[in-house]
Amino acid sequence: MTEAPCADPAGSIGFFLCQAGQRLRGAAIEAPRLEARRLLAHVLNTSEAALLRDPRAPVPADKAAQFAGLLARRIAHEPFAYLVGRVGFWTLELEVSPATLIPRADSESLIEAALEACPDKGAPLHVLDLGTGTGALLLAVLSEYKAARGVGVDCRAEAAALAARNAGRLGLAGRASFLAGDWAAALSARFDLILSNPPYIAETETLSSEVRDHEPASALFAGTDGLDDYRRIIPQLSGLMQPAALAVLEIGHTQGAAVLA
Ligand code: GLN
């Protein structure tokens, strides 16, 4: 399919959006126009609505160059969230980097499960997030339970530091601490709520290059059957749980029976 020429004047917002949309479509990006708009709004530090209102406004040269650089990375299938360094999870905006998995909307079901099991949002829960990454699960839970506090552990010090920054930005630093460690090895406390979205992809599984080539392998893969980290985590749980505690783990959609066993 040949694309229609872009109608807005060269160098204008509309022109860049049109051209970028065509190039992203050519690279088989699913929502090319939307991503072009989001990326340009990010570069110009404005809203998508503002771009649409003023398509003939010129894009300054330095911004155009920055946009071109990000666009090239997206065309090479680097995840959008890494380009802008931000992602939405639950009701929160989180910093994200290639040191961490990009939190997925799927994982919000862990937060829903916790809320369903413990509807008292004033409960002073002590929460543990194993493999915290950006801190997404712990911070989402702490944003709901205002008297809760918790710990997030990640094997990568860079992730623990990023999660701590997220806590600070969200005003949750007083109730959240983060440490680098090997699952629960360094912990002696017991918790009321344990959350974990561990790596659970089998090494042989086919993934999009977007995921496989850009997100940290240590956050994705867990041995030949994807169960290695559950084998490590599950035996540690009973020593980490208060008597009436709840543990909520994310698993792959085919792994239910194996993880239960
Ligand atoms: N707990 C984080 C998340 O859900 C990171 C998970 C991971 O790195 N496997 O996004």
Side-chain angles (χ1 to χ4, degrees):
M1 190 176 91
T2 51
E3 304 269 7
C6 294
D8 287 308
S12 67
I13 285 175
F15 182 80
F16 279 108
L17 287 181
C18 167
Q19 237 190 10
Q22 292 181 352
R23 291 185 57 200
L24 290 167
R25 183 176 305 108
I29 299 293
E30 229 166 82
R33 294 172 62 88
L34 174 72
E35 289 207 9
R37 218 157 53 228
R38 281 198 190 151
L39 208 54
L40 190 58
H42 167 75
V43 167
L44 296 177
N45 199 14
T46 186
S47 67
E48 293 172 50
L51 296 183
L52 295 174
R53 269 198 303 274
D54 205 3
R56 300 179 67 86
V59 175
D62 59 326
K63 298 293 180 184
Q66 193 190 340
F67 183 62
L70 292 175
L71 190 64
R73 287 166 61 189
R74 189 63 188 117
I75 285 167
H77 289 262
E78 186 168 339
F80 189 88
Y82 289 155
L83 301 184
V84 297
R86 291 280 183 279
V87 71
F89 181 77
W90 196 246
T91 62
L92 312 176
E93 181 174 86
L94 299 168
E95 178 190 341
V96 69
S97 88
T100 64
L101 191 81
I102 299 166
R104 309 292 205 264
D106 285 347
S107 304
E108 293 176 353
S109 56
L110 276 72
I111 310 301
E112 285 165 0
L115 286 168
E116 205 178 300
C118 178
D120 174 11
K121 290 194 179 181
L125 301 175
H126 193 203
V127 186
L128 172 63
D129 179 4
L130 288 172
T132 197
T134 58
L137 297 175
L138 177 63
L139 296 172
V141 160
L142 296 184
S143 76
E144 293 291 334
Y145 297 94
K146 306 290 185 204
R149 69 208 152 84
V151 183
V153 181
D154 201 282
C155 62
R156 293 146 296 173
E158 230 181 312
L162 185 146
R165 283 199 298 280
N166 276 325
R169 199 173 298 107
L170 294 165
L172 295 168
R175 295 191 284 128
S177 53
F178 294 93
L179 49 105
D182 178 20
W183 296 122
L187 301 171
S188 52
R190 286 182 181 264
F191 298 87
D192 307 298
L193 174 61
I194 301 177
L195 302 158
S196 186
N197 173 24
Y200 57 75
I201 297 171
E203 267 149 19
T204 51
E205 207 168 305
T206 350
L207 294 176
S208 68
S209 82
E210 202 159 306
V211 175
R212 182 179 287 275
D213 299 337
H214 296 282
E215 294 194 74
S218 63
L220 294 169
F221 300 108
T224 49
D225 60 1
L227 298 172
D228 280 7
D229 288 295
Y230 300 123
R231 290 190 185 95
R232 304 260 341 267
I233 294 167
I234 292 171
Q236 299 182 12
L237 287 178
S238 63
L240 294 165
M241 293 168 84
Q242 293 284 9
L246 173 72
V248 188
L249 303 187
E250 180 166 330
I251 61 172
H253 69 285
T254 60
Q255 292 172 329
V259 174
L260 279 176

